[in-house]
Amino acid sequence: MIILETQELVKNFGGLTAVNRVSLHVDEGEIFGLIGPNGAGKTTLINCITGTYPPSGGRVHFLGEDTTGQQADVMCHRGMARTFQICQPFPQLTAMENVLAGVIFGSTHKHSKRPEVVAAEILDFVEFSMPKDTRADQLNTVQLKRIDLARALACRPKLLLLDELAAGLTTGELGDLMDIIRKIRDSGISILMVEHIMRVIMGLCDRIAVLQYGTKIAEGPAQEVANDPRVLEAYLGEGHTAD
Ligand SMILES: Nc1ncnc2c1ncn2[C@@H]1O[C@H](COP(=O)(O)OP(=O)(O)OP(=O)(O)O)[C@@H](O)[C@H]1O
Ligand SMILES: [Mg+2]
């Protein structure tokens, strides 16, 4: 079953077309990768899907319903949660309180456990290793990304959108994060991930799509797309071929 579909999605900023008629879909249970050079429109596409920005054209369907232009809080309650390329925690709240915001406000689900217990379990699940009462403004980028992921999971999404979650991690941390993402998928959550690190993309994604200047230039099984001459050219410049 298709969980998410965009049809000819467009986003203009003044004279700039950041997303240009992008059609793609994510299957239920899939890890779908979205790659492309800097400025290609990946974050803007996530923003239009999740309701941060209204699209300028095209449609978004989520769980079989037309959700085009719905606001972010509505999309969150419908089952879509995302992380941010540049984390946006509540700086003066603790790690625990940041995740509690997701537990309490991000979902309409009624938990049988206390919210603090749910939040603590999610922080453990994402392997947050600092004391849970550490204020967010005391955390480094890697730890902030963990609480951003925990906050998104606390919303109990059916689709999770990750925007460069692996950026800045060491090789060892990358392996740990990939294990966590696999566990999230195995728990029944579909994933759309934007990522530059090809080891992560190739290790996790069932299918990928490539954006360049706002336009989708390739889509398909990860191995196939990674060897597509148009994709190599987009990343490496003219003159590169698959071999
Ligand atoms: N709010 C905005 N107002 C105006 N222009 C914007 C806005 N957001 C993004 N853009 C522009 O849209 C284009 C696509 O940006 P976007 O951030 O979506 O790219 P990206 O693929 O996520 O890049 P990166 O890999 O660097 O994160 C860029 O030219 C960017 O400057
Ligand atoms: Mg981006």
Side-chain angles (χ1 to χ4, degrees):
M1 195 187 108
I2 292 175
I3 185 160
L4 173 78
E5 185 175 17
T6 69
Q7 296 169 350
E8 304 266 314
L9 206 65
V10 175
K11 182 64 185 176
N12 299 316
F13 294 114
L16 174 84
T17 302
V19 173
N20 192 3
R21 303 177 67 161
V22 173
S23 300
L24 51 80
H25 75 273
V26 178
D27 288 319
E28 204 173 335
E30 173 173 55
I31 302 180
F32 184 85
L34 186 60
I35 67 171
N38 292 119
K42 305 177 296 294
T43 298
T44 304
L45 185 63
I46 287 188
N47 284 337
C48 290
I49 291 170
T50 54
T52 302
Y53 297 144
S56 311
R59 312 303 305 172
V60 178
H61 287 94
F62 178 53
L63 290 169
E65 288 186 52
D66 190 333
T67 57
T68 315
Q70 300 245 342
Q71 294 200 354
D73 56 330
V74 175
M75 292 312 295
C76 183
H77 281 178
R78 279 176 174 256
M80 216 186 247
R82 55 93 57 97
T83 65
F84 293 88
Q85 185 169 355
I86 297 166
C87 294
Q88 301 178 15
F90 299 106
Q92 284 158 23
L93 299 187
T94 65
M96 170 66 117
E97 289 164 344
N98 268 277
V99 181
L100 271 174
V103 176
I104 295 168
F105 300 113
S107 154
T108 52
H109 178 81
K110 298 270 178 287
H111 291 276
S112 52
K113 298 177 195 163
R114 281 179 31 237
E116 291 79 4
V117 175
V118 176
E121 283 175 359
I122 299 172
L123 278 169
D124 290 340
F125 176 82
V126 302
E127 295 171 13
F128 181 74
S129 54
M130 298 286 287
K132 295 181 176 67
D133 60 356
T134 312
R135 267 173 50 150
D137 58 7
Q138 304 298 310
L139 297 173
N140 66 27
T141 309
V142 170
Q143 290 155 346
L144 282 177
K145 285 188 174 242
R146 294 261 150 117
I147 60 168
D148 201 24
L149 176 60
R151 192 252 327 129
L153 288 172
C155 302
R156 297 179 61 96
K158 298 187 176 69
L159 176 69
L160 178 65
L161 299 97
L162 306 174
D163 197 352
E164 296 200 29
L165 194 60
L169 298 187
T170 63
T171 312
E173 289 166 340
L174 278 183
D176 293 345
L177 180 70
M178 287 167 72
D179 286 343
I180 292 170
I181 293 173
R182 280 193 201 98
K183 277 196 284 177
I184 294 171
R185 189 261 296 274
D186 293 345
S187 76
I189 298 172
S190 311
I191 295 172
L192 185 160
M193 63 188 301
V194 168
E195 194 50 73
H196 279 297
I197 302 170
M198 285 314 277
R199 179 183 150 205
V200 175
I201 288 287
M202 300 309 285
L204 288 178
C205 295
D206 302 300
R207 290 184 307 124
I208 60 180
V210 187
L211 289 189
Q212 185 185 27
Y213 301 121
T215 304
K216 189 180 81 175
I217 59 166
E219 180 180 3
Q223 200 64 48
E224 212 171 275
V225 171
N227 289 312
D228 184 324
R230 282 169 306 169
V231 175
L232 293 171
E233 193 175 307
Y235 271 96
L236 304 173
E238 259 179 76
H240 283 271
T241 57
D243 45 50

